[in-house]
Amino acid sequence: MSAIEGTRPRDGEARMPVEATPVEAIGGLVARARDAGFDHAARPLAERAGLLRALADAILADGEAIVALLEEETGKPAAEAWLHEVVPTADLGSWWSSQGPAHLATEAVRLDPLAYPGKRARVEVVPRGVVALITPWNFPVAIPLRTLFPALLAGNGVVWKPSEHTPRVAARVHGIVREVFGPDLVELVQGAGAQGAALVEADVDAVVFTGSVATGRKVGAAAGRALTPASLELGGKDAAVVLDDADLERTARGLLWAAMANAGQNCAGLERVYAVAEVAGPLKARLGELAGELVPGRDVGPLVTEAQLATVERHVREAVDGGAEVLAGGERLERGGRWFAPTVLAEVEPSSAALREETFGPVVVVQTVADEAAAVAAANDSRFGLTASVWTRDAARGEAVARRLRAGVVTVNNHAFTGAIPALPWGGVGETGFGVTNSPHALHALVRPRAVVVDGNARPELYWHPYDEALERLGKGMAALRGKGGPITKVRAVARLLGALRRRF
Ligand code: ADP
């Protein structure tokens, strides 16, 4: 049996390996989740909503243990672990349990009794079945829970494959889910790409994936081959536009948080700032100062993986070699583990990786631009488009500029904090993918509509065989009646219809 090895991001210490799920076992786990899902879907919606509240309570009650595992596996500061991973669970539980049921309710549809005599119709919202949930290491608790809550409310079974970099905290959360929902409804697959790929191909009914663009393409292709609906939420290269009337102190602090939270390992991490010439100088200076005051370990955690650290280092080195200004940081920190200094670069060569590829580290680039239009154009010049922000004292101007930004979430005078708000959709454009989490829009990946029609008409339908000339005239009459002719045309159409009807019966 293969094992998942790894070292701690904070100090590089080796950890006890975690057992990986054998690939051959995955089909059986999907089948168990499917069986358990049938029983779960049969529970009244109100009961499922109650279970969500119980799940949220249980996770909040286990916060200390979850935070300890997050520190062990990701190194993120405890404040971040509490605020970004544990606390949002409360809102997920209360929002989905109170607001979710309305979006899953059956809707009666009125059918025209003349055209469709004796018929009753409704639209039911049914679970897709088994959802394959594949998640990354940057928010190993918050990201899976964002999908688990609505997926379970909707009545699905779930097979969850967490990242191979965070198996322990995943196992802890999974244990809590089992206690609340019973043993088989949510199954856990531990492992890496092989297990993830096998899961996507294991007869699942939907795939919800959050991760890199490269892996997202593979998952999307595999799901496409199997004709399995897939929600893909991939990378980002978030931009902020700073206008001439921005409150520079608040802006600098907000931009810094958006760039450095989770050590920048956030698909909505702020990586590019376009500041108009009037304010660029003081903004750069203040950002550099504030970044220099951040304390690694307390304010900013390490990079979770060696590969990520190497990417960050490469982007910064290339930018600096290309002539960028270094306003803070710029290099690895030698303190054991995988640390990179909080870094602010400026005036980076536009084709450089630090402006074009996802850096996913504690690095932000500030570029001076001539004016608002240039800032918007530069912000939109990206393959990604998750979130974007505008900073200005003029709210109306901010909104107008925000609407011109190509992103799934736009904020004025703040950045990226809305991921924790279940009522607001979270998704993007371009290579960020088309997956949406949070809000009723997230349900699209997790449910399908089922039209149910019951026909109480005792007579054969008018339009059934055999076809004859009267039916043809009927068709012409109906088209004329529904078309945009004047009153005379309509009266003629009715007469023709009645005649045809008489002959038809
Ligand atoms: P990241 O390093 O950003 O987490 P990945 O996109 O590689 O990037 O990982 C996201 C998730 O996808 C992880 O759980 C990972 O194990 C899983 N994964 C990796 N390769 C595949 C694949 N080919 N098919 C399905 N899942 C995969």
Side-chain angles (χ1 to χ4, degrees), residues 354-366:
L355 280 175
R356 312 234 47 105
E357 295 168 26
E358 188 173 39
T359 303
F360 222 63
V363 178
V364 63
V365 174
V366 188

Side-chain angles (χ1 to χ4, degrees), residues 330-420:
E331 56 202 4
R332 243 179 216 256
L333 296 174
E334 297 307 332
R335 61 202 301 267
R338 299 186 271 278
W339 297 85
F340 201 88
T343 296
V344 181
L345 304 177
E347 318 311 344
V348 168
E349 160 58 39
S351 64
S352 143
L355 280 175
R356 312 234 47 105
E357 295 168 26
E358 188 173 39
T359 303
F360 222 63
V363 178
V364 63
V365 174
V366 188
Q367 301 286 88
T368 305
V369 291
D371 53 22
E372 182 187 296
V376 169
N380 287 343
D381 181 19
S382 172
R383 302 192 311 270
F384 299 101
L386 183 52
T387 101
S389 58
V390 183
W391 301 73
T392 168
R393 283 195 174 86
D394 180 342
R397 182 181 177 204
E399 264 196 61
V401 173
R403 287 210 177 79
R404 282 156 52 205
L405 296 175
R406 187 174 166 270
V409 179
V410 290
T411 41
V412 179
N413 293 327
N414 213 323
H415 196 99
F417 70 101
T418 67

Side-chain angles (χ1 to χ4, degrees), residues 209-241:
F209 172 86
T210 307
S212 63
V213 174
T215 304
R217 282 189 205 282
K218 290 187 206 162
V219 169
R225 279 194 299 275
L227 295 179
T228 305
S231 157
L232 307 175
E233 205 182 303
L234 312 175
K237 187 77 188 168
D238 276 17
V241 165

Side-chain angles (χ1 to χ4, degrees), residues 134-137 161-165 191-198 200 209-213 215-216 218-219 305 308 360:
I134 301 176
T135 54
W137 45 258
K161 215 286 298 160
S163 167
E164 61 274 32
H165 300 291
Q195 281 81 0
V200 174
F209 172 86
T210 307
S212 63
V213 174
T215 304
K218 290 187 206 162
V219 169
T305 71
Q308 203 52 54
F360 222 63

